[in-house]
Amino acid sequence: MTRLSLSAALNSGLRHVLEEDPKAVILGEDVGPLGGVFRVTDGLSKDFGSDRVIDTPLAESSIVGTAIGLAMRGYHPICEIQFDGFVYPAFNQIVSQLAKMRARTAGKVPLPVVVRIPCGGGIGAVEHHSESNEAYFAHTAGLRVVICSDPQSGHYMLRQAMMSGDPVIFYEPKRRYWEKGEVSSDLRLAPAFDRAVVARPGTDATVVCYGGMVSTCLEAAATAHEEGHELEVIDLRSLSPLDLDTVTASVRKTGRCLVVHEAPGFAGLGAEVVSGVTERCFYHLEAPVLRVTGFDMPYPSAKYENQYLPDADRVLAAVDKLLEF
């Protein structure tokens, strides 16, 4: 076990991939000698060469389109989109080509491409640098959409994404890049790639979350414990496919469910979780399923983002409603 930040754990995962898979290549803006904006690719260009860690022009459609062509020729590309809001120029390549090629060719042409996207707010950034756009891609059949929440999940899941053989949208909560945790490189210990995990066991209510909100919900659960309530925190990890089995097993036990995410509430991932829980657990519920989300508005300027982002207080206020019902 080694104590690493999330960015360092992802870097370690990429290093494992490049060492173990000679067909793996990384491409993106400033991923070479600079090591990426968040230094996730730091040192990889020096150790593996510029033909495997490739600096690209500022052209996201070209980055993903090139990766698709490389994958069709037998390579295993990992794209870095510098910020979440920069992925939109590549949207057509992702949803029209990357997600469709396997079905279009009746399985003859798989595209093992991983698209890494730093996501979410909390870093005081300017416009287009704090998006939570996971619902767009989770709605698109043919893509796996996953999101890590801490250094260990980042390391494991990035390596598993490359091993899956599928097109994967891999989200990384950027405000957690500098948080540290113990990291093992032994994949035999890793949870299944498409399964949620119980981040904290509890009996009074289930809190379902993912990405940057996992730490927030764990903070809320610790406060609730001091007040005599035990919250079970579920880290979804995989957004498509969605592991409702783990979620509903918890809700059947607790009878109450809260879904938390940073993205706007309307048509967000939380709505799908609420629907699935209601359909599967209706007779076990002691209260309506509630959501705590970002507001239905463009992401605000840095001065106001603390008012926009769900925090432990908002989570605890919703838990109080559940318990009082």
Side-chain angles (χ1 to χ4, degrees):
M1 301 287 284
T2 306
R3 189 166 181 81
L4 299 173
S5 66
L6 173 56
S7 61
L10 292 164
N11 178 279
S12 175
L14 291 171
R15 184 173 293 277
H16 274 273
V17 168
L18 291 171
E19 289 173 347
E20 296 165 1
D21 182 358
K23 290 290 188 179
V25 294
I26 297 172
L27 59 162
E29 299 160 8
D30 297 322
V31 298
L34 181 65
V37 170
F38 298 104
R39 302 301 184 262
V40 173
T41 57
D42 188 38
L44 298 181
S45 176
K46 176 175 68 71
D47 293 341
F48 296 96
S50 59
D51 57 340
R52 297 191 67 197
V53 183
I54 305 164
D55 270 334
T56 68
L58 305 183
E60 288 76 16
S61 181
S62 175
I63 293 170
V64 177
T66 300
I68 291 170
L70 285 167
M72 293 177 73
R73 300 297 294 177
Y75 289 90
H76 304 149
I78 309 166
C79 304
E80 178 179 303
I81 303 299
Q82 200 167 71
F83 282 90
D84 33 43
F86 298 177
V87 75
Y88 302 121
F91 193 82
N92 181 55
Q93 293 282 6
I94 293 171
V95 303
S96 299
Q97 309 301 333
L98 187 60
K100 303 292 194 298
M101 189 63 71
R102 187 192 293 268
R104 183 183 298 146
T105 61
K108 295 178 182 178
V109 183
L111 293 179
V113 176
V114 174
V115 182
R116 294 180 40 247
I117 306 176
C119 67
I123 64 167
V126 297
E127 189 180 17
H128 309 309
H129 291 67
S130 300
E131 304 284 317
S132 295
N133 45 31
E134 63 272 10
Y136 293 137
F137 299 113
H139 183 73
T140 303
L143 299 174
R144 285 183 181 267
V145 182
V146 301
I147 182 167
C148 59
S149 61
D150 58 25
Q152 184 63 85
S153 66
H155 179 90
Y156 278 157
M157 293 176 70
L158 186 51
R159 293 173 64 188
Q160 290 171 314
M162 284 300 294
M163 295 167 61
S164 72
D166 293 322
V168 180
I169 306 299
F170 190 96
Y171 281 105
E172 303 161 8
K174 65 174 79 73
R175 65 169 152 160
R176 307 300 181 195
Y177 272 140
W178 302 276
E179 295 182 4
K180 293 186 175 182
E182 297 296 324
V183 176
S184 167
S185 61
D186 188 351
L187 278 179
R188 295 172 298 179
L189 304 176
F193 184 47
D194 57 356
R195 302 293 289 183
V197 298
V198 178
R200 178 184 176 118
T203 55
D204 295 325
T206 299
V207 180
V208 182
C209 52
Y210 55 86
M213 285 293 103
V214 175
S215 292
T216 300
C217 292
L218 289 172
E219 177 189 349
T223 301
H225 171 74
E226 296 174 359
E227 298 172 353
H229 303 300
E230 299 299 333
L231 305 182
E232 182 146 293
V233 179
I234 306 292
D235 179 358
L236 284 177
R237 295 168 18 104
S238 176
L239 307 183
S240 180
L242 190 61
D243 176 18
L244 284 175
D245 290 343
T246 298
V247 174
T248 55
S250 175
V251 175
R252 290 188 182 105
K253 177 178 67 175
T254 66
R256 294 174 171 84
C257 182
L258 173 67
V259 185
V260 182
H261 60 66
E262 189 173 323
F266 186 79
L269 254 293
E272 186 65 28
V273 177
V274 171
S275 174
V277 168
T278 303
E279 290 172 4
R280 298 187 182 197
C281 301
F282 184 78
Y283 293 106
H284 294 82
L285 290 171
E286 301 290 341
V289 184
L290 300 181
R291 288 181 290 168
V292 172
T293 70
F295 299 111
D296 297 327
M297 58 176 284
Y299 196 88
S301 63
K303 181 178 179 180
Y304 299 107
E305 71 175 351
N306 287 338
Q307 282 72 48
Y308 174 88
L309 292 168
D311 58 13
D313 287 340
R314 285 179 61 191
V315 172
L316 289 168
V319 169
D320 287 342
K321 288 183 181 180
L322 286 175
L323 297 175
E324 291 169 0
F325 193 86

